[in-house]
Amino acid sequence: MATLLHLDSSLFPAGASASRAVTDAFRKAWEAQHPQGTVVYRDLSVDPVPHLDGLAASAAFVDPAAHTPEQAAAFAERMKLVTELEQADAVLIGAPMYNFTIPSTLKAWLDQVVLMGRTAGPESTVKGLPITVVASRGGSYAPGTPREPFEYVQNYLGALLSEMLGAEVDFIVPELTLAASNPAMSELIPLAEASREKALADAAEKAKSLAARVGSAA
């Protein structure tokens, strides 16, 4: 049966997070298509993975037989995350924008699983893996908006996941999420609500379509 790897990285819990609401809608639609499938869930905010350190990084360039005990232990933890990614049939990532970019916890996970010569590079073991990213943001960074030059979530993740991993990347973008709580954005509330509803609908539709495609290929 199909396996979905689901990652959330919002600082806020369900009910207070735009990205979690949309990833939840995606996951529920996916599970409806694969009731016997597996969902591997990681909440990177609640249970963050370690930042990549010198031991884990250097171990990737050393014959495992020559690893020091410290390198072996660090690399084993890294390989758990890599294997988890490789075993997924699809990946769902909640990536809210904080200070123009992704949460540091998500960056830590990426640094662990991007492994040159294995998951990254011409012979990537995850080439073609479908990855859906929910890129929520408090304002709008869409093409033509004043803040377009500061969009470092889609630009970064699109480049990393597609160019380095060879993954098939798709984005769902709920924006203007701060409109209801920021008086200066009050006139944008209707647009924010429309964006949220579209994101939820897109999540359900994309999950259903992807689940059917992955299931038929299994």
Side-chain angles (χ1 to χ4, degrees):
M1 299 300 293
T3 297
L4 175 69
L5 175 59
H6 174 188
L7 308 171
D8 276 323
S9 60
S10 172
L11 295 173
F12 303 102
S17 165
S19 64
R20 288 181 189 271
V22 179
T23 59
D24 184 61
F26 184 104
R27 176 173 172 169
K28 286 178 178 176
W30 172 278
E31 290 178 320
Q33 297 297 307
H34 291 295
Q36 305 303 317
T38 300
V39 175
V40 177
Y41 181 62
R42 283 189 175 273
D43 189 328
L44 298 175
S45 179
V46 174
D47 187 19
V49 302
H51 283 281
L52 186 66
D53 61 15
L55 287 172
S58 63
F61 303 97
V62 177
D63 185 327
H67 282 172
T68 66
E70 293 78 13
Q71 281 181 317
F75 197 61
E77 290 303 310
R78 188 178 186 187
M79 290 309 298
K80 287 181 182 178
L81 299 172
V82 168
T83 301
E84 194 171 78
L85 176 64
E86 292 175 330
Q87 292 178 344
D89 295 294
V91 179
L92 171 64
I93 300 175
M97 177 185 280
Y98 295 147
N99 300 318
F100 301 137
T101 190
I102 63 173
S104 63
T105 52
L106 179 54
K107 180 61 164 60
W109 179 83
L110 288 165
D111 286 341
Q112 292 283 3
V113 300
V114 175
L115 182 58
M116 291 304 302
R118 183 152 174 172
T119 60
E123 304 301 321
S124 169
T125 54
V126 295
K127 187 174 183 178
L129 178 67
I131 300 179
T132 303
V133 180
V134 177
S136 58
R137 62 277 311 272
S140 179
Y141 297 77
T145 62
R147 290 200 167 189
E148 179 186 358
F150 302 105
E151 204 298 300
Y152 300 117
V153 173
Q154 285 179 270
N155 287 334
Y156 168 66
L157 291 177
L160 178 71
L161 298 174
S162 62
E163 296 300 320
M164 293 192 71
L165 301 188
E168 174 191 306
V169 187
D170 192 19
F171 288 93
I172 300 173
V173 187
E175 61 179 13
L176 302 170
T177 62
L178 291 177
S181 59
N182 184 346
M185 297 175 65
S186 60
E187 64 181 21
L188 299 175
I189 289 177
L191 292 177
E193 292 175 344
S195 179
R196 173 184 168 84
E197 291 307 311
K198 183 179 185 305
L200 291 171
D202 285 349
E205 180 182 345
K206 289 175 183 289
K208 184 177 180 179
S209 176
L210 180 58
R213 177 159 64 91
V214 168
S216 64

